[in-house]
Amino acid sequence: MMNAPIDPAKNKLLDAILRHVAFDGWAPSAFNAAVTEVGIDPAHAKTLCPRGAVDLAIAYHEQGDAAMVAALKTAELSDMRFRDKVAHAIRLRINAIDDKEAVRRGTALFALPHMAPEGSKLVWQTADHIWEALGDKSRDINWYTKRLTLSGVYASVVLYWLGDDSLDAQATDAFIDRRIDDVMQFEKVKAQVRDNALLKPITGPLGRMLSSVKAPTRIPQVDLPGVWRDPN
């Protein structure tokens, strides 16, 4: 489930702050400069962005997710293997980034201890958007494992891409393929373990226990695992 469109005034602030992020990072000084440039009342700006530049950094990430989903909807994927669809989605997400320095600064921001949960949430949401756009219907433990695995892949790709100075990011393309290969190899080993008759006394009860795990109920703006809504 995609987030609601960004408020037009907030979008203006986002456009304005990007000119300052390369020098100041996603910092209060950059936010204040954006407010001044846009000419918006500071009190209204704080209403739109209670955490200032942090909220704009989040909006920038969500904007990239929305662009990726839009590109996936028009992409011709029918002849692709599923692993290639996932790799293509990751490439589209990287291509949606129009300011590498903004991402670099955002990575530093969300690596701070008090911001790490927010950063993890954004990466998880990107993985969730990819699976949803590709038509994932899982509602059991696989809902979690798919997003957890893809979160790790996407995070590693972004870090690699930030240091990639190859022509047209060719090295990143190759890295994406290698990471998907690693995931496929893991899935192959997992299937072999599950189907091994000698391990059935262990895998059987474990499988039955995990089968009771269900995906969280979808609530607007809240897509993280563990969300629960009273059915009454």
Side-chain angles (χ1 to χ4, degrees), residues 43-189:
H44 182 46
K46 271 298 183 182
T47 300
L48 293 171
C49 305
R51 293 179 291 177
V54 171
D55 288 326
L56 291 180
I58 292 171
Y60 183 71
H61 183 94
E62 292 175 345
Q63 187 180 75
D65 280 351
M68 173 198 66
V69 170
L72 274 175
K73 288 180 178 179
T74 60
E76 179 51 60
L77 306 175
S78 58
D79 293 332
M80 289 186 183
R81 297 175 299 174
F82 200 84
R83 55 169 293 162
D84 295 330
K85 293 179 183 181
V86 175
H88 184 64
I90 294 174
R91 291 187 175 97
L92 288 177
R93 182 61 183 85
I94 294 295
N95 291 339
I97 299 171
D98 56 7
D99 191 327
K100 195 169 189 176
E101 192 58 34
V103 175
R104 192 188 312 279
R105 293 289 192 151
T107 301
L109 170 67
F110 293 116
L112 296 173
H114 68 288
M115 291 302 302
E118 193 72 57
S120 297
K121 175 183 174 182
L122 292 175
V123 172
W124 180 281
Q125 287 181 342
T126 297
D128 184 44
H129 291 323
I130 290 175
W131 281 116
E132 288 291 312
L134 294 180
D136 177 45
K137 302 299 183 185
S138 60
R139 302 303 300 162
D140 55 9
I141 188 65
N142 289 309
W143 188 92
Y144 296 92
T145 59
K146 286 179 178 180
R147 285 153 181 77
L148 181 62
T149 302
L150 187 54
S151 292
V153 170
Y154 177 70
S156 66
V157 168
V158 170
L159 292 177
Y160 188 93
W161 171 76
L162 286 173
D164 182 13
D165 57 2
S166 64
L167 180 63
D168 297 326
Q170 293 176 2
T172 297
D173 273 345
F175 181 76
I176 291 172
D177 289 334
R178 291 197 301 273
R179 292 294 288 116
I180 297 297
D181 284 341
D182 291 341
V183 172
M184 293 300 103
Q185 188 63 34
F186 172 74
E187 290 297 322
K188 181 180 179 180
V189 172

Side-chain angles (χ1 to χ4, degrees), residues 228-232:
W228 180 83
R229 180 172 57 188
D230 189 339
N232 299 318

